[in-house]
C-alpha cells in the first residue's frame, strides 16, 4: 500500500515563497501609488474648500482678502489658527479646522494643530510686521496665474510652513512649495482651479523636495 503524502516539500515551499515575493514586488508599488493618489485627491479637496472660504471672506470684506496674520492680545491671529491652537480667520467660512492639514504631511507644525498648506503671504495676505497690507481681490489681474494656496514646507527634514513666499521674498527660505505627492505639489490658484504641479524651481541639493512654482515671482504676483 502506498502511503499518502502529507505536507509540502522544501522545493514546493520555496516555489510558493518565490511566487508570493514576485507578486508582492508587483503589487506593493501599485498599492502605494493608489494610496498616494487618494491622499492627493483628499488634499486637493481640502484646498478647494479653503479657496471657497477665502472667497467668502473677501466677499464679506468688500474684496479685501484674508490677512496672513496680525497680532492680537495673547498672541497672533492667522488665516488658519489663533495662538493657543484655536481656529483662525477662515474657520468661520470653512467650519472645519482640519482642512488646513494635508493627509500626506507628517512634519512638525510650529505649534499649529493642523498644517501642510501655505497661503500666498508675499502678494495676497500681506505681512503685518513689514507693513505690507493684504491685497484687494480686484488687484489680481491674472487670477489663473496667481497662486493662492499650495502644499508647502521648509528645511530638511521638512517642517510645516503656513505662509507661502515668492522667490524674491527675503523669507522665501521659510515658505517653499513642498512637492510631496510623488514629486508633485497641489496648487490652488486665485481663480480656484487646481493643478498638480511637477515643475519646480530654485531647488537646493539639501532640500530636494522643496522649491518654487516659477523661477522668479511670476506664479505668485498680482500681474
Amino acid at each position: 500500500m502506498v502511503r499518502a503524502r502529507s505536507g509540502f516539500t522544501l522545493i514546493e515551499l520555496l516555489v510558493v515563497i518565490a511566487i508570493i515575493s514576485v507578486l508582492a514586488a508587483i503589487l506593493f508599488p501599485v498599492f502605494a501609488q493608489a494610496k498616494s493618489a487618494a491622499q492627493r485627491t483628499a488634499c486637493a479637496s481640502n484646498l478647494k474648500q479653503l479657496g471657497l472660504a477665502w472667497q467668502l471672506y473677501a466677499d464679506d470684506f468688500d474684496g479685501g482678502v484674508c490677512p496672513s496674520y496680525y497680532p492680537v492680545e495673547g498672541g497672533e491671529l492667522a488665516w488658519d489658527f489663533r495662538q493657543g491652537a484655536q481656529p483662525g480667520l477662515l474657520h468661520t467660512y470653512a467650519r472645519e479646522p482640519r482642512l488646513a492639514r494635508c493627509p500626506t504631511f507628517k512634519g512638525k507644525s510650529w505649534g499649529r494643530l493642523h498644517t501642510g498648506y501655505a497661503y500666498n503671504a508675499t502678494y495676497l495676505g500681506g505681512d503685518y510686521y513689514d507693513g505690507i497690507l493684504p491685497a484687494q481681490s480686484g488687484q489680481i489681474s491674472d487670477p489663473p496665474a496667481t497662486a493662492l494656496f499650495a502644499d508647502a514646507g521648509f528645511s530638511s527634514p521638512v517642517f510645516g510652513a503656513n505662509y507661502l513666499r515668492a522667490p524674491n521674498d527675503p523669507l522665501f527660505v521659510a515658505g517653499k512649495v513642498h512637492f510631496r505627492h510623488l514629486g508633485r505639489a497641489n496648487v490652488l490658484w486665485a481663480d480656484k482651479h487646481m493643478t498638480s504641479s511637477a515643475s519646480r524651481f530654485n531647488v537646493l541639493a539639501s532640500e530636494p523636495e522643496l522649491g518654487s512654482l516659477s523661477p522668479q515671482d511670476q506664479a505668485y504676483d498680482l500681474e
Side-chain angles (χ1 to χ4, degrees):
M1 183 176 66
V2 178
R3 181 178 296 176
R5 188 182 69 173
S6 61
F8 297 97
T9 66
L10 177 59
I11 293 177
E12 288 172 330
L13 286 173
L14 291 174
V15 169
V16 171
I17 291 172
I19 292 173
I20 292 174
S21 298
V22 170
L23 290 174
I26 295 172
L27 294 177
F28 283 175
V30 174
F31 293 151
Q33 290 179 2
K35 180 180 179 180
S36 178
Q39 290 175 327
R40 186 170 67 243
T41 299
C43 171
S45 177
N46 286 350
L47 285 171
K48 287 180 179 179
Q49 292 184 64
L50 284 174
L52 176 60
W54 180 87
Q55 185 62 60
L56 291 172
Y57 183 101
D59 291 344
D60 275 357
F61 286 86
D62 298 323
V65 308
C66 181
S68 302
Y69 72 94
Y70 55 82
V72 293
E73 184 178 356
E76 176 183 294
L77 179 58
W79 69 270
D80 61 327
F81 94 127
R82 180 175 180 141
Q83 205 76 23
Q86 298 301 309
L89 290 164
L90 292 184
H91 174 68
T92 301
Y93 303 92
R95 301 187 183 280
E96 175 50 84
R98 286 177 296 180
L99 287 179
R101 178 185 177 276
C102 174
T104 302
F105 185 70
K106 307 301 181 185
K108 295 183 179 180
S109 62
W110 283 92
R112 287 166 159 86
L113 284 178
H114 309 292
T115 193
Y117 308 131
Y119 172 39
N120 184 346
T122 302
Y123 286 96
L124 292 178
D127 202 318
Y128 179 89
Y129 291 114
D130 279 345
I132 302 173
L133 297 175
Q136 292 286 317
S137 57
Q139 292 178 277
I140 308 173
S141 61
D142 192 4
T146 301
L148 182 55
F149 292 97
D151 292 328
F154 75 98
S155 191
S156 180
V158 182
F159 289 80
N162 296 65
Y163 305 127
L164 186 64
R165 304 290 183 171
N168 289 322
D169 189 320
L171 294 176
F172 172 64
V173 66
K176 298 182 179 183
V177 177
H178 186 193
F179 295 82
R180 65 173 68 108
H181 298 288
L182 295 180
R184 292 180 171 271
N186 279 335
V187 183
L188 181 73
W189 303 84
D191 69 341
K192 314 310 178 300
H193 85 277
M194 285 287 311
T195 61
S196 178
S197 177
S199 298
R200 69 183 85 174
F201 304 89
N202 299 303
V203 178
L204 299 177
S206 59
E207 299 175 347
E209 297 180 61
L210 303 177
S212 62
L213 298 170
S214 54
Q216 300 297 323
D217 290 6
Q218 303 96 316
Y220 304 79
D221 62 24
L222 305 178
E223 301 300 322

